[in-house]
Amino acid sequence: ILRHNPQAELRAIAAEGLPTFRDTSVVKSLCSALGDSIAIVRQSAIAALGRIWTGSAIPTVIAAIQDPDEKVRYIAVQVAANHQLAAARLPLRRMLADNSIWVRTEAARGLALLSDTTAVEALVALMKERYEGADVDAARAALQELTGVDYIIE
C-alpha cells in the first residue's frame, strides 16, 4: 500500500501505522516514502521514522530537513534533534534562516539539544534579524543553555 496505492491518503495512513508493529525492517519502506510526490505521505513517513528508529534512517532524515514542504521540514528537524544526530548540526544551523517560524524555532531547540556551541553566531544573528517571536525565544533559550549567558539584543 505504501508504495503502490494510487490514493495518497491511504499511503499516508500506511506510513503512520507501520511503527505499531515495532519491527525496524519497515524503516527502509518509510525512507522510500520520503520520496513520494505528495506532502502528506512524506509528513506521515518522517513522523513514523521518529517513532521507529534505526541509524540507517540518518541520511534520509538529514535530507528531509531540506524538503519543500514546511511540515516535513518541521518534523524532520524534530526527529534529528530528538535522536541527537550529530550530522544534523549544519543543516539545523541552515534552518535558522528558513522561511517558516516553526522550522526556525525547532532548529534553535534542536541545536541546544545537540549542544552545538558552533551555532552561537547563527543564533545571535537570528535574534538580531527577527527581534521577537517564538523563534527568537527559542534562540535565546538555546543560547542560555549553550553559553550560560542571557542574550538580550537591542
Side-chain angles (χ1 to χ4, degrees):
I1 292 175
L2 186 56
R3 284 188 228 160
H4 303 294
N5 195 293
Q7 294 183 2
E9 294 81 12
L10 290 178
R11 293 194 309 275
I13 290 168
E16 289 172 12
L18 284 176
T20 60
F21 295 110
R22 298 178 190 250
D23 179 359
T24 56
S25 68
V26 303
V27 168
K28 185 176 179 181
S29 295
L30 291 170
C31 288
S32 294
L34 280 165
D36 198 286
S37 63
I38 305 298
I40 192 169
V41 176
R42 297 193 312 275
Q43 292 166 11
S44 295
I46 191 67
L49 279 173
R51 294 192 309 276
I52 187 161
W53 182 256
T54 67
S56 65
I58 292 172
T60 305
V61 171
I62 299 299
I65 290 172
Q66 308 272 334
D67 193 273
D69 182 73
E70 173 185 352
K71 287 182 184 178
V72 173
R73 292 193 311 275
Y74 174 80
I75 298 166
V77 166
Q78 288 180 326
V79 170
N82 290 341
H83 289 285
Q84 299 192 341
L85 305 184
R89 288 179 174 174
L90 181 58
L92 291 182
R93 284 195 302 271
R94 289 180 180 146
M95 288 299 102
L96 292 174
D98 194 85
N99 61 0
S100 165
I101 187 173
W102 306 115
V103 173
R104 292 191 306 269
T105 299
E106 288 305 312
R109 290 179 183 154
L111 290 164
L113 282 172
L114 290 168
S115 301
D116 186 1
T117 56
T118 64
V120 169
E121 268 187 49
L123 290 163
V124 169
L126 169 66
M127 289 178 63
K128 286 181 178 178
E129 182 181 328
R130 304 286 176 179
Y131 193 66
E132 66 182 2
D135 54 346
V136 173
D137 293 343
R140 182 176 289 112
L143 285 164
Q144 173 73 38
E145 188 166 328
L146 293 171
T147 67
V149 176
D150 187 17
Y151 282 74
I152 299 173
I153 305 296
E154 295 182 16

